[in-house]
Amino acid sequence: MAEAVPVVTIDGPSGSGKGTVAAEVARRLGWRVLDSGALYRLTAYAARQAGVDFDDAGAVAAIARALPVEFRDGRVLLDGEDVTAAIRTETAGNDASKVAAIPEVREALLQWQRDYARPPGLVADGRDMGTVVFPDAQVKIFLDASAGERARRRHKQLKEQGIDVNLPGLIAEIEERDHRDRNRSVAPLKPAPDAEVIDSTRMSVEEVVDLVLGRVAKAFPGVVT
Ligand code: DC
């Protein structure tokens, strides 16, 4: 069944730049954006707050099903608390990767993610957007970059926020998270068979955005001006 609403999926490993690219592509098109990683980050954060063990799949899934989340003016509110920065830490990312390996959690978040697809269109960023959540998306991108380059980008981002972490440690963490995301039994990180794989190691954000917009223009004539 074809998607009724135009959907562009951008999947890839941590630090590939997909979040930045997805946000900019959505802005240029005037479409909605789904940051699916935020849902896993929020689930893990809420589970921690509630003292729920990540091994308790049923309890974590119950939290995912009833997340009291609100996205308002670029801020993320969890039960009224501004958690925008709290869910962006490296620990939150690692926690997210752990709860994301729980099949019941993925199931709990599936319909919610699909409901984001509303006119005029959606740019969905994650790990399984093209494979599981929006298998009929008309444009599928898998954005990759070398682990070293991804760690360097993340390092720069953290430094800009005044957070100093050591680069070798960051590379090790990114590799560990990738390994978990690629090897889990449900919805592992991998390109959809019909996705275009882009290696952004030597590309700027603008170059990647232009490339994606080019694919959108081809798939939906008249949409990109
Ligand atoms: O994109 P991100 O770094 O915010 O994602 C955090 C973690 O959430 C990532 O390590 C794996 C998981 N995730 C997922 O399993 N499926 C998605 N669609 C998005 C994120």
Side-chain angles (χ1 to χ4, degrees):
M1 194 186 77
E3 303 285 342
V5 175
V7 175
V8 175
T9 60
I10 306 183
D11 289 303
S14 350
S16 57
K18 65 195 157 46
T20 311
V21 169
E24 180 58 14
V25 167
R27 193 189 66 78
R28 296 268 290 271
L29 295 170
W31 289 6
R32 306 182 88 202
V33 66
L34 167 63
D35 168 9
S36 61
L39 303 179
Y40 292 96
R41 288 171 182 265
L42 282 160
T43 301
Y45 183 87
R48 249 192 208 283
Q49 292 286 88
V52 166
D53 197 299
F54 291 167
D55 290 333
D56 189 345
V60 181
I63 286 177
R65 259 190 297 276
L67 272 181
V69 65
E70 208 185 318
F71 296 95
R72 201 194 295 158
D73 306 327
R75 315 297 301 171
V76 188
L77 305 180
L78 187 65
D79 210 5
E81 178 197 348
D82 189 336
V83 296
T84 318
I87 62 163
R88 289 291 143 209
T89 64
E90 294 308 293
T91 309
N94 257 314
D95 283 355
S97 160
K98 287 178 193 154
V99 302
I102 304 172
E104 295 92 326
V105 168
R106 306 201 71 86
E107 180 59 36
L109 296 175
L110 188 60
Q111 194 54 47
W112 188 359
Q113 296 175 81
R114 287 188 175 152
D115 288 344
Y116 266 83
R118 299 213 205 111
L122 177 72
V123 182
D125 136 31
R127 303 291 187 290
D128 62 340
M129 298 296 101
T131 50
V132 175
V133 182
F134 300 108
D136 299 320
Q138 300 88 341
V139 177
K140 296 184 185 180
I141 305 291
F142 189 90
L143 197 55
D144 213 342
S146 70
E149 174 61 19
R150 290 186 285 120
R152 265 190 296 281
R153 289 177 189 170
R154 185 71 188 132
H155 189 248
K156 185 167 166 260
Q157 230 176 30
L158 289 169
K159 240 184 153 168
E160 282 162 8
Q161 294 165 19
I163 305 166
D164 203 13
V165 291
N166 85 17
L167 192 57
L170 201 56
I171 294 178
E173 246 178 54
I174 282 190
E175 283 177 340
E176 184 197 326
R177 178 130 74 100
D178 285 353
H179 182 81
R180 196 185 303 115
D181 292 346
R182 286 182 208 272
N183 292 288
R184 66 182 174 222
S185 60
V186 276
L189 168 65
K190 65 166 186 214
D194 51 347
E196 180 174 355
V197 180
I198 301 174
D199 183 345
S200 74
T201 306
R202 286 183 188 79
M203 290 173 80
S204 66
V205 170
E206 293 70 29
E207 284 172 319
V208 180
V209 167
D210 284 346
L211 199 155
V212 177
L213 286 173
R215 300 298 180 264
V216 175
K218 234 192 218 158
F220 310 106
V223 162
V224 182
T225 48

